[in-house]
Structures are given as C-alpha cells and as structure tokens.
Amino acid sequence: MAKGLQIDPAKCTSCLQCELACSNHHEGVFNPALSRIKVFEFEHGRRSIPYTCTQCEEAWCLKACPTNAISINQDTGAKVVDDATCVGCKVCTIACPYGTINYRSATGKVVKCDLCSGDPACASACPTDAIVYA
Amino acid sequence: MAWQRKVLRINLTRGEIHHEPLNMEWANAYMGSRGLGTKYLSEMMDPKADALGPDNVLIFATGPLTGTMSSTSGRYSVLCKGPLTGAIACSNSGGKFGAELKNAGYDLLILEGQSPSPVYLNIVDDAVSLESAEDLWGTTVWHTEETLKERLGDPQTKVASVGVPGEQGVRYACIVNDLHRAAGRSGVGAVMGSKNVKAIAVRGTVGVTADDPKRFMAVVKETMKKLADDRGRQGMTRDGTNAMIDTMHAFGGLPTRNFQEVQFAGSEKINPTAMRAKNENGHTNLINNKACFGCSIGCGRVAHIDPKHFSVADKPQYWHASGGLEYETAFALGPVVGVDDIDACTYVGFLTNEHSIDPISFGVTVAAAMEMFELGAITLEDTGGIDLRFGNAEALVQAAEVTGAQQGFGVDLGLGSKLLCEKYGHPDLFMGVKGQEFAGYDSRALQGMGLGYATSNRGACHLKHDVFSPDMKDQSGNGKAEPCKNSQDEIAAIDSTGLCIFTAGAWGMDDYAAQVDAACEGDWPTERLVELGERTWNLERQFNLNAGLTAADDTLPKRLLETPAPSGTAKGRVCELDYMLKEYYQLRGWGADGVPTAETLGRLGLNA
C-alpha cells in the first residue's frame, strides 16, 4: 500500500509548522493562508486537528474534472493537479466531500496536497510527530 | 526581506490611518520588536508624558523572524510608557496574533493620540479601518474576541483586546491575544484602554519571505534539531514552566506569603505532578500542552477546572478548557498568597486572562493586602467582607472577581501593590521595584536575580536577564554583575529578533545570528546582535532617565535587603545588592549616578 500522511490530533500543539512548511515548499513564502494543510482548533484550543487531502482511492475530484487536469502520481498515489490543464472551473471543489481541494482567485487554478512528490514538507516539519508520512 | 518594510500608523485623535515605509536606518541599528519599538517610541514621545494620557504612544512591534519558520517565531512586543512604573514598558506576547500582524504586511503598528469614543481596529492586509466598539465596551476579553470573530466572519482572524480593567486604568492591566496569551506586564492594557481602543482584529495573508531562503531553511533545520535534543526543552514541553515551583521550593527561593517566607509546603499541590493527577472526583486539571505560532517547544498548558469545585460549581461557563497554570501564575496565585488549591488557582488564572489583568502583579498585590489585613491595617469593612487571610482560596477568588469587574475592594486592588501599601500606611510591604511587583524568585536566594530586578528597565522583572545558573551555584553576590549585564544585552537582542527567550537554553547567540543573517539583508554577525542588545538597553535607560527616574530607583524593598531568608539553602542571607550594583554600573559604562557616560553613548551610537 502507498504511504500516506498519518495524522494524530492528540499530538498536535497547533504550532502551525506544517502550514509554514507547506506554503514555503509550494509557494516559496511563509504564509499559512496559502497552506494546503490546515490546523483547526476546537473547544477553546482543547483539540487541534491538522487536516488535508486524504488522497482518496476513488478520487471524486479526479473523476469530476472535465479537462482531465487531475492525475495520479504512480510513485506516491497522490492526486495531482496539472496547472497548465486546469481551467479553474471549480467542479472538483464541489465533488470533493472533504473540502481539501480549493480554488485560488489569485491564480485562477485549484490547489491540493500532492504529498510533495513523496517527501511531504509538513511531516518533516512537524516537531511532535502529529503528522507522519508512513 | 524578513522585514515587511512597512509601518501602520493610526492617529486615534483624528481617526487617520497611514501606511509608511519602515525606517531602515533604525531597523539596521535596532533590528525589530523590542529594540526597534524602543527606538520608535523614544523618537515619538516625551518620556515625561502622562502614561494614561493622549501623548503616550502604543506600539505593537514584530521582529524580522516573526512569522518565519524559525522555532518560536510567534512573538511580538508591546511598547509604551508604563502606568505602573512611569518607566518604559515592553511586554512580550506569543500566541498567533503577532505572526498574523506580520503576515498582514506590517513590522510595526503604532497607535497615537486618543479616540473620542470606543473603537476597535480592523486590519485585513492593506484594508484597515477603525470601527465603533460602543457595544463591546464594558465586556470581557473573551466576549470581545468571540464577538469580533463572529462579526468579521473569518475564523482565522486574530484578536488582541482589553477587558474592563484595561478600560478603567488598572495599572497592571494587560493586553490579551488568542484568549490566553498576554503582553502581561507594566500596564500596557491600561494604556490601550486610555486610548479608547477596545481591540485590534487582524487577518494577514501576505506572508513573509527570507532573504536567502535556501540558507535560511538549512539554519532552521539545524537549530530545530538543537532545540529538539535539548534536555531543558524536553522538560519544558513535558511540564511547562511550572516545573520551577518544585525547584524553587527545594532551593528556598519561592516567595511565600508576601515574601515573608521562601518555601511553601503547599507547592506540591499545585505543581506539574498535581496538574496531572486525578482528584477525589476523578478530575484531572491538565488536558494537554499548546504551542504559540511556529513553536516547537509548546510550554503552554491547556487545563480545565473541576466542575464540582466551589469556584465554578454554579458557573458552567467556566467548565471549558483554557490556559492552565504556568510557573508565574502558579506562584502569584499560590505561594505568595499562601493558597494551595489547584482549582482556585486555575480559575483565578482564567479570570486574569478573561479580564486582562497581569496575574503576577495581581497576586503580589493581593499578597500585600493579605499581610495588611492580618496586621489590621485593612479591615473587613475595607474589603467589603472578603476575609483576606493568607491561604484563603475563597478570598483569592473573590478578590479576582471584584478586580476583574472593578467593583468594591477591586478598585483598591487595581492600584497595584505600591499605591495600595501607601494608601493603607505600610509602604515597606510593597514587594517590587519601580512600582512593578516581583515575579516568583526571591532575591535573597538568587542574588543575580535581585540585581536583575533592581536594574530592569521596566521595573521588577524576571525575563530581562538570565543569571539562573550562576545563582544556583553560588549564593553570594560575587561575580553576578557580569552575567547579569551580559544576559540583559543578549536577551534584548533575542527579544528584538521576534523569537522567544525560552530557546536560549538550547541556542547560543551564534544560533540567533545565523537565523537573522539568512533571513535579513546585510551581514548579521553575532557581535552586531549583542551590540544591538546593549544599545537597546541603554536607550531604554535613557527613556527612563528622561522620564525622571534615577539611580535611587534601582533598589529593592527593605525586606530583601535587611531581613534574612528564614529557611532554605540561603537561610540567614539578605540580598547583597549594594556592591553588585556598583560593579554593574561600572561594567555598563555608567557613572556612579547610574547615567551612561558620554563615552558609552558614543560607543553605542546613541545621542546624549
């Protein structure tokens, strides 16, 4: 079975190193607003939960895309958006049951987690092993 | 890069909003956060101005490393003239607010003047507006933060605000961000309230970039590893800062019952072990730990109060999780008031966050009130029926509730310990320096700490120097002046980067310099950082001298100078401040009058 991001919310301290690492890897800037993984806080900070694409086996984003802009990376199993093919129609964002593929008005394209080609920056940056790539 | 090179300046009197370029000449000499904020403050205001008047200036300052991937990059400083001290105030806070301000594109936010009516400031990147806060005035920090997040519609909005004590000029009111992180000391919250600013809401999506991204990430990786491997860091993650309560009790440096004693048997009921234990109702105080923005330490505690406890049994609104006991809250709501009730301490800790009061100053003020109550100088009539004996948890809870609401005896308690002790005829019972109450370390057992307290530019403070190791090794004042002076300069530099001083156990100055050097334009060798720290310290000193403070203010209460420690490893000792201070002035290049010499100022590039 392909490796995936194993997330253990009990270990998350909400430090946002994952968001910083993600935005830095993909956009070259430290900017949680551009991160593809988001930490959500619940119950006055009692729980913090990192949340991103689960790379569904049956990926509805991929099936819904009318331009075939989403493909499967054979090495990692990640569902990857091809920017050159994406026309920004947002159908995938409606198809995704988890809300983890998102439209960006600045670029007119959608973005999602691509597992950083097999070396996810979020997992490397997580100081508490709340996010592990295994 | 790393700086945003932009300042947001708000004239509250006129309701004007200005975007200005950052003064890079000053940024190169003072870097950011504490140092750069001090420079702007010194240039913008007369230090003799009334701290609670319109001529005080309130600055929120991020550092170049704030918002980057450096560990602990969530810090920011709040600067102004402090109403508690009449000296420069520089309060540092974590949480996520500071990084959000930086992400919105600003190095500094400057508030001048005084709004004619209550307002909050709404910042969404470049879009900035002053909005009416009439409906929020008179409400708590928690209510304000929740209401603004809902009103503004973006749950990622970060809020810093003040409660009623901030609005009503309580001299130790703080500014609370992210529900339970605070720019805690010297009354910066009272200054915000005096300007009629209830809250600042900020949402930032601009981001921060390093000057040399590749080298920066290599340095971050290396320093992260160093921090992860550090044993002190591991302890801090596991136990939080409250591990110190056991150390200080054993050592005999734990101020107890308004510094009449230096050890507290009840400390084991409020220490990290007690926080993790199940009580008779099966309730455990501690839930987990929580980090500020970018922090790989996570010393913050998340706790909850036993719903069956008397303090909250009929108040379900306090049954949720919030910020738990750290060492300074545990000390100030525990030993120094003689209380060993973990739920009462936790509840009062919640209240200090909810109402924006500094728990250190509050607890030490209550301690002085308790001593005067036991002496008969304060009566039940004065307290409105609160039985303010040492160790009375119910009295502590009542005291916090009336102080938070600014009702009854809470108005007296809001004066701070110095004015309260003067009012009730016992000025010698004020335990602090320059009007600001001590933190949880007794200067008879920790001599270098005593010198640090006496010379700290914001009044008694444990965070502006680090003589801890020498103090634990040798209980005389010999050889303490030099590490005190050097650590003051180094910490001023660390504070100016935008990082947290809790990294300093694992990192040397070279580690900070390497991060700044990769993140910022120009060369930032270690010596430049340390010199910048010394420059900042001296500029703070100049602010205070211009405000009217003198060497006579660099002193400690009689109790610490004349009454020997009654127990512990320093039994029989007093604080040997006199000769430490003389040596300290010499090392600083100051005259015997505590004034920097022309030569010292010249060497640091400061004007006389």
Side-chain angles (χ1 to χ4, degrees), chain A residues 9-22 24 27-34 38-41 43-48 121 124-125 127-128, chain B residues 67-71 73 96 103 146 156 179-180 203-210 216-217 224 287-296 302 304 320-322:
Chain A
K11 291 182 178 167
C12 178
T13 61
S14 187
C15 73
L16 309 191
Q17 277 282 333
C18 54
E19 297 189 10
L20 289 162
C22 179
N24 183 49
E27 326 282 347
V29 58
F30 302 116
N31 187 354
L34 296 181
K38 290 301 299 174
V39 177
F40 290 90
E41 284 189 28
E43 299 175 66
H44 299 264
R46 180 181 187 136
R47 279 173 236 279
S48 307
S124 307
T128 63
Chain B
T68 69
M69 226 170 129
S70 287
S71 187
S73 67
K96 298 192 166 88
N103 264 308
E146 201 174 325
Q156 296 292 341
L179 298 176
H180 50 79
R203 176 69 178 121
T205 66
V206 173
V208 180
T209 50
F216 182 70
M217 286 310 294
M224 278 278 185
I287 297 170
N288 52 25
N289 69 325
K290 190 163 183 207
C292 297
F293 184 96
C295 174
S296 59
V302 179
H304 58 166
H320 61 73
S322 193

Side-chain angles (χ1 to χ4, degrees), chain B residues 37-61:
Chain B
T38 300
K39 177 64 177 171
Y40 267 84
L41 189 75
S42 300
E43 295 286 341
M44 286 182 69
M45 74 173 286
D46 176 359
K48 288 194 168 58
D50 175 6
L52 296 179
D55 294 335
N56 200 353
V57 175
L58 185 64
I59 300 178
F60 295 72

Side-chain angles (χ1 to χ4, degrees), chain B residues 339-420:
Chain B
V339 170
D340 61 4
D341 179 331
I342 193 168
D343 288 296
C345 294
T346 305
Y347 172 60
V348 176
F350 281 20
L351 291 182
T352 59
N353 289 325
E354 185 184 20
H355 296 293
S356 75
I357 50 182
D358 168 17
I360 302 179
S361 285
F362 168 73
V364 177
T365 299
V366 171
M370 284 175 161
E371 189 168 356
M372 290 189 283
F373 185 82
E374 294 196 346
L375 288 171
I378 291 177
T379 63
L380 272 176
E381 202 181 327
D382 296 321
T383 64
I386 303 175
D387 183 22
L388 264 185
R389 283 174 294 106
F390 281 116
N392 185 349
E394 289 182 38
L396 173 69
V397 163
Q398 289 167 339
E401 288 174 346
V402 295
T403 304
Q406 277 303 282
Q407 291 167 347
F409 191 59
V411 177
D412 270 0
L413 289 172
L415 294 170
S417 180
K418 182 166 188 282
L419 295 183
L420 184 81

Side-chain angles (χ1 to χ4, degrees), chain A:
Chain A
M1 207 177 122
K3 283 196 203 176
L5 290 172
Q6 314 292 328
I7 293 175
D8 181 357
K11 291 182 178 167
C12 178
T13 61
S14 187
C15 73
L16 309 191
Q17 277 282 333
C18 54
E19 297 189 10
L20 289 162
C22 179
S23 63
N24 183 49
H25 178 88
H26 290 288
E27 326 282 347
V29 58
F30 302 116
N31 187 354
L34 296 181
S35 174
R36 298 158 191 213
I37 185 165
K38 290 301 299 174
V39 177
F40 290 90
E41 284 189 28
F42 298 91
E43 299 175 66
H44 299 264
R46 180 181 187 136
R47 279 173 236 279
S48 307
I49 305 181
Y51 188 72
T52 189
C53 173
T54 60
Q55 313 295 346
C56 306
E57 208 152 310
E58 188 184 323
W60 292 2
C61 60
L62 181 151
K63 289 191 173 172
C65 178
T67 65
N68 293 326
I70 303 176
S71 61
I72 301 176
N73 178 312
Q74 293 307 324
D75 296 331
T76 62
K79 282 55 182 188
V80 181
V81 179
D82 176 31
D83 273 358
T85 318
C86 173
V87 295
C89 72
K90 308 178 203 168
V91 170
C92 56
T93 68
I94 300 164
C96 173
Y98 302 110
T100 51
I101 182 161
N102 301 109
Y103 178 73
R104 283 228 179 112
S105 52
T107 56
K109 310 280 180 188
V110 294
V111 292
K112 70 180 290 298
C113 170
D114 62 2
L115 295 176
C116 300
S117 309
D119 184 13
C122 56
S124 307
C126 180
T128 63
D129 290 339
I131 307 168
V132 173
Y133 188 57

Side-chain angles (χ1 to χ4, degrees), chain B residues 159-379:
Chain B
V159 178
S161 64
V162 295
V164 170
E167 295 170 7
Q168 301 203 1
V170 168
R171 284 172 178 75
Y172 51 85
C174 53
I175 298 171
V176 175
N177 58 274
D178 302 285
L179 298 176
H180 50 79
R181 307 307 312 184
R185 306 225 65 192
S186 313
V188 295
V191 175
M192 186 153 137
S194 76
K195 296 191 173 301
N196 267 326
V197 175
K198 179 68 180 175
I200 299 160
V202 59
R203 176 69 178 121
T205 66
V206 173
V208 180
T209 50
D211 186 54
D212 184 343
K214 210 175 155 190
R215 185 155 57 89
F216 182 70
M217 286 310 294
V219 178
V220 164
K221 199 174 170 188
E222 189 189 318
T223 47
M224 278 278 185
K225 171 90 169 59
K226 223 180 232 188
L227 192 53
D229 293 343
D230 182 66
R231 281 190 56 195
R233 193 285 305 165
Q234 291 160 5
M236 194 87 101
T237 302
R238 188 183 61 240
D239 293 331
T241 55
N242 197 20
M244 188 58 83
I245 202 163
D246 292 328
T247 311
M248 280 301 108
H249 169 61
F251 193 65
L254 181 61
T256 299
R257 298 182 187 90
N258 203 33
F259 292 72
Q260 296 178 88
E261 295 154 62
V262 293
Q263 291 180 304
F264 183 58
S267 59
E268 64 183 27
K269 293 187 182 165
I270 54 173
N271 69 7
T273 310
M275 289 171 75
R276 271 193 287 268
K278 264 199 175 93
N279 72 7
E280 63 278 8
N281 298 323
H283 178 89
T284 303
N285 180 270
L286 182 70
I287 297 170
N288 52 25
N289 69 325
K290 190 163 183 207
C292 297
F293 184 96
C295 174
S296 59
I297 304 172
C299 72
R301 306 287 102 176
V302 179
H304 58 166
I305 307 158
D306 183 349
K308 293 197 172 72
H309 188 259
F310 77 83
S311 60
V312 299
D314 59 350
K315 303 185 192 94
Q317 68 270 31
Y318 291 101
W319 294 355
H320 61 73
S322 193
L325 292 179
E326 306 173 37
Y327 175 57
E328 290 302 336
T329 44
F331 142 76
L333 309 175
V336 88
V337 289
V339 170
D340 61 4
D341 179 331
I342 193 168
D343 288 296
C345 294
T346 305
Y347 172 60
V348 176
F350 281 20
L351 291 182
T352 59
N353 289 325
E354 185 184 20
H355 296 293
S356 75
I357 50 182
D358 168 17
I360 302 179
S361 285
F362 168 73
V364 177
T365 299
V366 171
M370 284 175 161
E371 189 168 356
M372 290 189 283
F373 185 82
E374 294 196 346
L375 288 171
I378 291 177
T379 63

